[in-house]
């Protein structure tokens, strides 16, 4: 039997077993992955041994607690479970998967996410293609609640009061997470059919829809911003018709970063 | 309302490779099907390496998050979908072990000669499957020193250098043992599959 493994000192082929077993130091690992593209023998050997390793890996089966699956699905799909249409879903998937990469978020889905957040546990989401567990409303709320907790408890959380005529609201941002949230108490309901709308104002003056919400009956709000915060020059709170693409309504507050 | 809707459109006929491809195009149901297919093996592995339910659950979640985000990077030429997923799980678990190396508590079983391959802490809840028996008999064909090196690397998350240090042997010897262990393991498994 031929072997591509040589015993020469420092030979990258020598690193293959350690690579397969995740037993390399980072620099060794880098050296091996650098070597791999140019070495068909190593690639073939890796492929040939991969089943052996995955047999070894799969020898012990232990069913994880069922809430692990729930948490996983919520963390991946929570904010965009609510899309309601196939298009929203397709647009929303990538940003929803990587909550920390909020600069990749498109601002067409915050309205849907906020709507789901408001509708809460009663919402059953079907995307037209996929059926999502009927707890999806709760999942959305839990996923968002967890993110809000993460932002507000971030070591670099920065709280900025929003000066409102009625009620108390604040914006909290974490530059480490590149995320922000709005929290309010005693916020009055907007005029019938209207909603609060947060806009992220960029340095060049352009604006991105960051969140929409209406308070609950007690006037409480806690909602994530669906834009990044690190490139923002300011945030603005207005009242708009649902789904507004640009701020046109009454401006309630603005806070400079 | 249905309490637990079956994943659609992914079904039992989809291979893991097809499910991964569907994940890459954003099909959540395919992801859920993959999770249900491999989570027990993945959790078993994470528990084996981390020996802590909470850490293992974290590793499981992190690994499957990566399955979803990186599904498009899966290359069928380099192995099966199962191998790819289990590699992600193992890597997460091992990364965690290395981060927590200050916690010597978890390392108390790291004695030379303590080859608890057949007697680990989760053995009683391990579902005994053909796969498991096959691996056990293949492991039994290794020399004790090979088995020990493999155990320290794969299930304790030690690097080659740490194994050499731990066993007081030259690095080259540790590498050789791992290489020989893998080759032997492959021969044994190919012989029984």
């Amino acid at each position: 039997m031929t072997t591509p493994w040589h015993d020469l000192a420092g030979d990258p082929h020598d690193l293959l077993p350690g690579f397969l077993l995740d037993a390399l130091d980072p620099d060794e690992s880098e050296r091996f992955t650098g070597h791999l593209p140019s070495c068909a023998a190593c690639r073939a050997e890796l492929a040939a041994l991969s089943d052996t390793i995955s047999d070894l890996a799969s020898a012990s089966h232990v069913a994880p607690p069922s809430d692990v699956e729930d948490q996983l699905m919520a963390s991946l799909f929570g904010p965009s479970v609510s899309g309601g249409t196939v298009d929203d879903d397709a647009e929303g998937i990538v940003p929803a998967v990587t909550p920390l990469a909020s600069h990749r978020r498109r601002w067409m889905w915050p309205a849907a996410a906020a709507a789901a957040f408001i509708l809460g546990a009663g919402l059953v989401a079907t995307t037209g293609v996929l059926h999502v567990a009927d707890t999806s409303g709760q999942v959305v709320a839990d996923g968002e609640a967890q993110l809000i907790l993460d932002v507000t408890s971030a070591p670099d959380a920065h709280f900025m009061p929003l000066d409102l005529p009625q009620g108390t609201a604040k914006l909290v941002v974490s530059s480490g997470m590149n995320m922000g949230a709005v929290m309010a108490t005693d916020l009055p309901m907007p005029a019938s059919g209207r909603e609060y709308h947060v806009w992220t104002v960029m340095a060049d003056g352009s604006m991105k829809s960051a969140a929409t919400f209406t308070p609950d009956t007690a006037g409480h709000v806690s909602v994530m911003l669906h834009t990044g915060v690190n490139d923002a020059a300011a945030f603005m709170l207005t009242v708009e018709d649902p789904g507004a693409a640009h701020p046109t309504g009454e401006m309630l507050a603005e806070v400079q970063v | 309302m249905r309490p637990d809707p079956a994943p659609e459109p992914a079904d039992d006929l989809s291979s893991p490779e097809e499910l991964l491809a569907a994940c890459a195009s954003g099909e959540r149901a395919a992801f859920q099907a993959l999770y249900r297919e491999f989570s027990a093996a993945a959790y078993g592995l994470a528990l084996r390496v981390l020996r802590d339910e909470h850490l293992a659950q974290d590793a499981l979640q992190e690994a499957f998050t990566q399955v979803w985000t990186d599904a498009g990077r899966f290359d069928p030429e380099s192995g099966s979908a199962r191998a790819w997923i289990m590699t992600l799980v193992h890597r997460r678990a091992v990364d965690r072990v290395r981060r927590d190396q200050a916690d010597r508590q978890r390392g108390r079983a790291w004695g030379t000669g303590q080859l608890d391959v057949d007697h680990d802490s989760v053995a009683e809840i391990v579902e005994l499957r053909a796969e498991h028996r096959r691996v056990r008999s293949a492991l039994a064909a290794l020399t004790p020193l090979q088995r020990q090196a493999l155990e320290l690397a794969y299930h304790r998350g030690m690097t080659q250098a740490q194994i050499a240090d731990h066993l007081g042997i030259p690095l080259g010897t540790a590498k050789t043992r791992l290489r020989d262990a893998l080759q032997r393991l492959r021969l044994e498994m190919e012989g029984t599959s």
Side-chain angles (χ1 to χ4, degrees), chain A residues 167-224:
Chain A
T168 310
K170 62 195 168 192
L171 188 77
V172 53
V173 297
S174 159
S175 55
M177 294 172 69
N178 193 21
M179 285 186 178
V182 172
M183 281 165 300
T185 52
D186 301 326
L187 200 65
M189 287 298 284
S192 175
R194 310 257 285 172
E195 63 185 8
Y196 290 98
H197 205 136
V198 183
W199 305 90
T200 300
V201 185
M202 310 305 286
D204 64 3
S206 65
M207 299 199 197
K208 294 180 179 175
S209 174
T212 61
F213 56 85
T214 51
D216 66 14
T217 50
H220 291 294
V221 170
S222 42
V223 64
M224 285 299 293

Side-chain angles (χ1 to χ4, degrees), chain A residues 59-62, chain B residues 120 122-128 132:
Chain A
S60 304
H61 284 230
V62 182
Chain B
D120 73 39
V122 296
E124 66 276 16
I125 44 172
V126 166
E127 185 190 342
L128 283 180
H132 184 71

Side-chain angles (χ1 to χ4, degrees), chain B residues 123-162:
Chain B
E124 66 276 16
I125 44 172
V126 166
E127 185 190 342
L128 283 180
R129 301 158 53 94
E131 241 169 3
H132 184 71
R133 287 197 298 274
R134 207 153 63 82
V135 172
R136 276 215 310 193
S137 72
L139 284 170
L142 304 182
T143 69
L145 290 177
Q146 288 169 353
R147 207 155 51 223
Q148 178 188 43
L150 193 65
E151 171 72 7
L152 292 174
Y154 199 69
H155 289 136
R156 296 290 177 274
M158 285 188 170
T159 63
Q160 302 177 144
Q162 286 171 326

Side-chain angles (χ1 to χ4, degrees), chain A residues 82-109:
Chain A
S82 56
T85 70
V86 175
D87 284 346
D88 274 0
D89 192 57
E91 292 290 337
I93 271 186
V94 169
V97 166
T98 51
L100 289 175
S102 45
H103 59 281
R104 293 172 64 195
R105 289 168 185 244
R106 313 219 180 156
W107 59 273
M108 62 178 291
W109 68 269

Side-chain angles (χ1 to χ4, degrees), chain A residues 53-244:
Chain A
I53 297 293
S54 71
D55 281 350
L56 183 66
S58 313
S60 304
H61 284 230
V62 182
S66 60
D67 61 346
V68 174
E69 180 176 338
D70 297 340
Q71 286 166 18
L72 176 66
M73 298 300 160
S75 72
L76 288 179
F77 309 131
S80 72
V81 158
S82 56
T85 70
V86 175
D87 284 346
D88 274 0
D89 192 57
E91 292 290 337
I93 271 186
V94 169
V97 166
T98 51
L100 289 175
S102 45
H103 59 281
R104 293 172 64 195
R105 289 168 185 244
R106 313 219 180 156
W107 59 273
M108 62 178 291
W109 68 269
F117 185 61
I118 291 156
L119 289 172
L123 184 79
V124 177
T126 46
T127 61
V129 180
L130 305 169
H131 296 278
V132 180
D134 63 0
T135 53
S136 55
Q138 191 58 53
V139 165
V140 170
D142 288 349
E144 179 129 1
Q146 183 58 52
L147 278 176
I148 290 166
L149 193 64
D150 290 346
V151 171
T152 53
S153 60
D156 63 347
H158 177 53
F159 292 82
M160 294 173 282
L162 294 168
D163 188 17
L164 295 176
Q166 197 183 337
T168 310
K170 62 195 168 192
L171 188 77
V172 53
V173 297
S174 159
S175 55
M177 294 172 69
N178 193 21
M179 285 186 178
V182 172
M183 281 165 300
T185 52
D186 301 326
L187 200 65
M189 287 298 284
S192 175
R194 310 257 285 172
E195 63 185 8
Y196 290 98
H197 205 136
V198 183
W199 305 90
T200 300
V201 185
M202 310 305 286
D204 64 3
S206 65
M207 299 199 197
K208 294 180 179 175
S209 174
T212 61
F213 56 85
T214 51
D216 66 14
T217 50
H220 291 294
V221 170
S222 42
V223 64
M224 285 299 293
L225 302 186
H226 300 298
T227 65
V229 298
N230 291 350
D231 295 332
F235 298 93
M236 209 168 76
L237 180 66
T238 64
V239 173
E240 306 287 347
D241 287 329

Side-chain angles (χ1 to χ4, degrees), chain A residues 1-7 10-11 14-26 28 31 43-69 71-73 75-77 80-82 89 92-93 96-98 121-124 127 129-135, chain B residues 1-6 8-9 26-29 31-32 35-36 39-45 47-48 57 60-61 64-65 68-69 77-80 82-83 86-87 90-91 94 98 120 122 125-127 129 131-132 134-135 139 150 153-155 157-161 163 171 175-176 178-180 182-183 185-187 189-190:
Chain A
M1 165 181 159
T2 58
T3 168
W5 294 335
H6 308 296
D7 268 336
D11 189 331
D14 203 25
L15 296 170
L16 191 145
F19 179 79
L20 268 167
L21 295 164
D22 294 322
L24 298 183
D25 291 326
E28 291 173 323
R31 200 151 68 89
R43 288 199 306 275
E45 194 66 10
L46 274 184
L49 274 166
S50 76
D51 278 343
T52 302
I53 297 293
S54 71
D55 281 350
L56 183 66
S58 313
S60 304
H61 284 230
V62 182
S66 60
D67 61 346
V68 174
E69 180 176 338
Q71 286 166 18
L72 176 66
M73 298 300 160
S75 72
L76 288 179
F77 309 131
S80 72
V81 158
S82 56
D89 192 57
I93 271 186
V97 166
T98 51
L123 184 79
V124 177
T127 61
V129 180
L130 305 169
H131 296 278
V132 180
D134 63 0
T135 53
Chain B
M1 294 214 264
R2 293 180 301 167
D4 188 15
E8 297 175 47
E27 275 195 44
R28 297 171 185 183
F31 175 73
Q32 192 170 33
Y35 177 84
R36 290 179 179 182
S39 59
Y43 187 53
L45 177 63
L47 269 179
R48 185 75 196 262
Q57 287 165 23
L60 181 68
Q61 288 209 32
F64 273 91
T65 298
W68 174 252
T69 55
E77 304 253 307
S78 64
S80 66
R82 178 179 72 131
M86 296 307 287
T87 297
H90 188 256
R91 208 161 281 166
V94 164
R98 299 205 180 135
D120 73 39
V122 296
I125 44 172
V126 166
E127 185 190 342
R129 301 158 53 94
E131 241 169 3
H132 184 71
R134 207 153 63 82
V135 172
L139 284 170
L150 193 65
Y154 199 69
H155 289 136
M158 285 188 170
T159 63
Q160 302 177 144
I163 293 169
L171 178 59
K175 288 180 180 178
T176 304
L178 289 176
R179 183 195 65 193
D180 293 348
L182 277 184
Q183 284 180 328
L185 202 58
R186 170 162 54 157
L187 287 175
M189 299 229 210
E190 279 172 355

Side-chain angles (χ1 to χ4, degrees), chain B residues 2-72:
Chain B
R2 293 180 301 167
D4 188 15
E8 297 175 47
D11 56 39
D12 292 343
L13 299 175
S14 305
S15 70
E17 287 72 23
E18 289 165 337
L19 290 172
L20 259 187
C23 282
S25 32
E27 275 195 44
R28 297 171 185 183
F31 175 73
Q32 192 170 33
L34 271 181
Y35 177 84
R36 290 179 179 182
E37 171 82 22
F38 293 112
S39 59
Y43 187 53
L45 177 63
L47 269 179
R48 185 75 196 262
V49 174
L50 289 160
R51 303 182 165 241
D52 177 292
E53 288 179 11
H54 296 290
L55 295 179
Q57 287 165 23
D58 285 351
L60 181 68
Q61 288 209 32
E62 289 169 9
F64 273 91
T65 298
Q66 198 180 353
V67 168
W68 174 252
T69 55
D70 288 1

